[in-house]
Amino acid sequence: MITRVKSSKEIIAMRESGRQLATVLDYLKHSVREGMSTKEIANMADDKLKTLGGKPAFLGYYGFPDVICISLNDEVVHGIPDSKRIIQEGDIVSLDFGVSVDGMITDSAISIVVGTTKNNKVTNLLRTT
């Protein structure tokens, strides 16, 4: 794989893509609640990104059917949003999102606990990772 130096225009697009990505993940971090489906969360991510002007990087990538990967608890990454997957109190929700701006893609993931947990292992896991 060859890595090349990005142009000034590409660097600007990368920064904007990263800004939009951080904005969407922060929005989701403060919006995800018990009783929501993972599909509802995906729709929120899509709607928020549209207001910012970016494009979802994951939608259609190798056939991926949605804009964000959402995994619950001990699931391995890249979960597909589903209207039947309902968030419960204490669930660990991993949100993996990618944004494309002018062909430059940023990708990041966060994990949150919905509500509260009394499980010290969960608390330690999220604090240290």
Side-chain angles (χ1 to χ4, degrees):
M1 180 174 171
I2 298 174
T3 302
R4 64 176 180 76
V5 176
K6 304 292 189 253
S7 69
S8 295
K9 184 178 177 182
E10 289 171 323
I11 291 170
I12 290 168
M14 288 169 64
R15 283 188 181 128
E16 178 58 20
S17 180
R19 185 192 69 77
Q20 291 180 19
L21 174 62
T23 299
V24 172
L25 287 178
D26 187 62
Y27 168 68
L28 294 177
K29 176 181 172 180
H30 293 96
S31 300
V32 173
R33 301 281 183 263
E34 176 183 11
M36 297 176 81
S37 73
T38 57
K39 182 61 180 168
E40 287 176 280
I41 297 167
N43 291 342
M44 291 170 58
D46 191 35
D47 291 345
K48 184 67 172 177
L49 184 58
K50 283 178 183 173
T51 68
L52 299 170
K55 295 179 183 176
F58 298 168
L59 182 62
Y61 185 73
Y62 285 98
F64 191 78
D66 218 313
V67 301
I68 189 170
C69 301
I70 303 175
S71 304
L72 302 181
N73 301 313
D74 61 353
E75 289 180 332
V76 177
V77 296
H78 302 143
I80 298 171
D82 187 327
S83 61
K84 295 177 184 168
R85 298 289 317 267
I86 306 301
I87 305 298
Q88 304 296 318
E89 174 80 15
D91 278 350
I92 301 171
V93 181
S94 295
L95 306 164
D96 184 358
F97 195 52
V99 174
S100 177
V101 171
D102 295 331
M104 296 290 103
I105 295 173
T106 54
D107 176 355
S108 187
I110 60 171
S111 294
I112 60 172
V113 173
V114 175
T116 59
T117 181
K118 295 177 183 183
N119 185 330
N120 287 336
K121 288 183 179 181
V122 168
T123 302
N124 289 337
L125 173 72
L126 293 179
R127 186 179 62 242
T128 59
T129 57

